[in-house]
Amino acid sequence: MFNDGDGPWGGGGSGGGSGGGGGDDGLGPRNPWSQPPRKRPAGKRNNFGPSALDELLKRGRQRFGGPGGGWIAPGGRPLWLYGIGLVILLWLLLTSVHRIEPQERGVVMRFGSYAGLLTPGMSMTLPSPIDKVTTINVDDIRVQDIGSTSAESENLMLTGDQNLVDLAYSVRWNIRDPQLYMLELADPDDTVKQVAESAMRAEIARVTLTNAIGPERSEIEYRVTGRMQQILDGYHSGIAIQGVAIKQADPPAEVVDAFKEVSAAQQTAQTYINQARAYAQQLSAKAQGEAAAFDRVYEQYKLAPEVTRRRMYYETMEEVLAKTNKTIIEAPGVNSYLPLPQIRTAPPRASTEAAQ
């Protein structure tokens, strides 16, 4: 359109100014896309070169275009090669470099087989899909609830005395060995639940209902924890049981009222037993105190037997005669007549006469 001199802003023929706004020299039209007019040599026809837009498009094709229409870099290589190289670099960076947190471990699987364990920090592996890294939090304490504390759901177990008890408990556990945890168990949560139920039923079958709902709950929790750990170690599960907590231990709902009455009576009986033991301890302490006092008197008696004997006699007589009427007669000048009837009827005196 531009090379033949006939464009939208006028023709480029020899018509001079008839081309729709040609230049003053009559060499062709002036438009914003054409190059500046050049003087025509004598005897030659007007022949304008390519326009500025043509030059721009030509340079773009030379810079980015090739024989096949592909993009070409300044060095002569197609740009799609650089794009592929960038994608490969990002793929290597994102799938080969791994950051492991302090509470995590990275299990490396190479073509589906175990290849190693990544410790906390920055680590490198082969790119995916050759190596696949799974991060596992080994410090996180997981809680598995078994049974329900609501009245709508019951988890009944048979006790050693052929009674039923409704139990609700929870299991706390974490991952000890990430390799075993990933490779040995298909469903770790369900495995922990099944093992917990088996261990709890085995322990409840060894105790009575009274002990299950009362004094032996802590011992049952301890034994169930040890039994679960033993079973899971046999499975090579890589799981560590942190503890078992019984949240509810009640008889079945149909007989819960009767058991509450029995429990209240047992508590009352235990209260009486505790009071009797406290009274026995008081009497024992008092007897021990009296024995210690007698031992001290005996020590003084060994040092001065006569004085101690007389003092003990006086103290005993003072205690015996403290609340009775007394008549004290001195041996010399004894009166042969005593008004005994008057003495018996006389009111008791407030004080007693001391013997010399």
Side-chain angles (χ1 to χ4, degrees):
M1 180 176 64
F2 298 111
N3 291 336
D4 56 5
D6 191 6
W9 287 277
S14 58
S18 64
D24 296 338
D25 53 0
L27 296 179
R30 288 184 177 271
N31 60 70
W33 303 108
S34 62
Q35 291 185 347
R38 292 176 292 180
K39 187 176 181 180
R40 182 179 61 184
K44 290 188 177 181
R45 182 182 175 185
N46 288 342
N47 187 14
F48 297 100
S51 65
L53 180 59
D54 291 337
E55 291 290 338
L56 180 62
L57 294 176
K58 181 179 179 180
R59 291 175 183 176
R61 286 194 297 268
Q62 291 176 353
R63 184 176 183 86
F64 299 104
W71 289 17
I72 303 301
R77 297 183 179 88
L79 285 181
W80 60 269
L81 293 178
Y82 290 95
I84 293 177
L86 180 60
V87 171
I88 293 175
L89 179 61
L90 292 177
W91 169 62
L92 293 175
L93 183 63
L94 295 178
T95 61
S96 299
V97 180
H98 308 277
R99 180 182 177 183
I100 308 299
E101 299 294 337
Q103 72 277 9
E104 295 177 341
R105 299 294 184 272
V107 179
V108 182
M109 304 296 292
R110 181 168 300 163
F111 295 116
S113 300
Y114 177 75
L117 186 68
L118 301 183
T119 56
M122 300 298 296
S123 303
M124 294 190 65
T125 61
L126 296 177
S128 178
I130 300 175
D131 283 355
K132 182 179 179 181
V133 178
T134 303
T135 58
I136 298 177
N137 193 328
V138 297
D139 291 340
D140 184 26
I141 302 298
R142 297 163 171 80
V143 179
Q144 181 74 46
D145 293 324
I146 302 173
S148 175
T149 56
S150 62
E152 292 79 8
S153 176
E154 289 184 336
N155 185 29
L156 300 179
M157 296 185 183
L158 188 64
T159 63
D161 55 352
Q162 303 301 313
N163 286 310
L164 293 176
V165 60
D166 183 15
L167 280 181
Y169 53 97
S170 62
V171 181
R172 304 184 308 277
W173 59 278
N174 68 329
I175 300 173
R176 180 171 58 189
D177 191 328
Q179 175 188 356
L180 297 178
Y181 175 77
M182 283 195 59
L183 302 180
E184 298 294 333
L185 299 180
D187 190 348
D189 292 340
D190 186 66
T191 301
V192 171
K193 180 179 179 181
Q194 298 296 333
V195 171
E197 290 186 351
S198 175
M200 182 62 74
R201 291 182 183 277
E203 291 299 329
I204 292 298
R206 298 174 53 188
V207 299
T208 63
L209 176 61
T210 303
N211 292 331
I213 65 178
E216 290 191 10
R217 290 177 62 169
S218 58
E219 289 82 358
I220 294 174
E221 294 172 349
Y222 176 77
R223 292 196 296 266
V224 170
T225 301
R227 184 182 290 268
M228 286 187 62
Q229 189 64 64
Q230 182 180 2
I231 296 174
L232 291 173
D233 289 344
Y235 292 165
H236 302 287
S237 63
I239 292 176
I241 301 299
Q242 300 299 325
V244 176
I246 297 177
K247 298 183 293 184
Q248 173 185 302
D250 296 327
E254 293 79 2
V255 295
V256 66
D257 294 336
F259 271 92
K260 288 181 178 179
E261 294 178 359
V262 173
S263 178
Q266 291 176 345
Q267 292 179 359
T268 302
Q270 188 64 37
T271 301
Y272 292 153
I273 293 175
N274 293 336
Q275 293 176 355
R277 289 175 178 174
Y279 181 69
Q281 291 177 356
Q282 292 178 358
L283 292 181
S284 177
K286 182 178 179 182
Q288 291 176 357
E290 292 178 353
F294 182 82
D295 291 338
R296 290 193 297 271
V297 172
Y298 180 70
E299 294 294 334
Q300 297 297 326
Y301 176 79
K302 290 191 298 182
L303 297 177
E306 184 62 29
V307 175
T308 305
R309 186 184 302 110
R310 184 177 296 275
R311 181 171 63 84
M312 292 178 63
Y313 172 76
Y314 288 154
E315 291 176 354
T316 303
M317 294 304 297
E318 181 179 4
E319 183 178 356
V320 172
L321 301 176
K323 297 180 180 180
T324 60
N325 296 329
K326 296 173 285 296
T327 300
I328 300 175
I329 301 174
E330 297 182 357
V334 174
N335 191 358
S336 58
Y337 171 74
L338 290 176
L340 296 180
Q342 291 81 359
I343 293 175
R344 292 193 187 97
T345 58
R349 296 180 182 181
S351 60
T352 60
E353 298 178 1
Q356 299 295 333

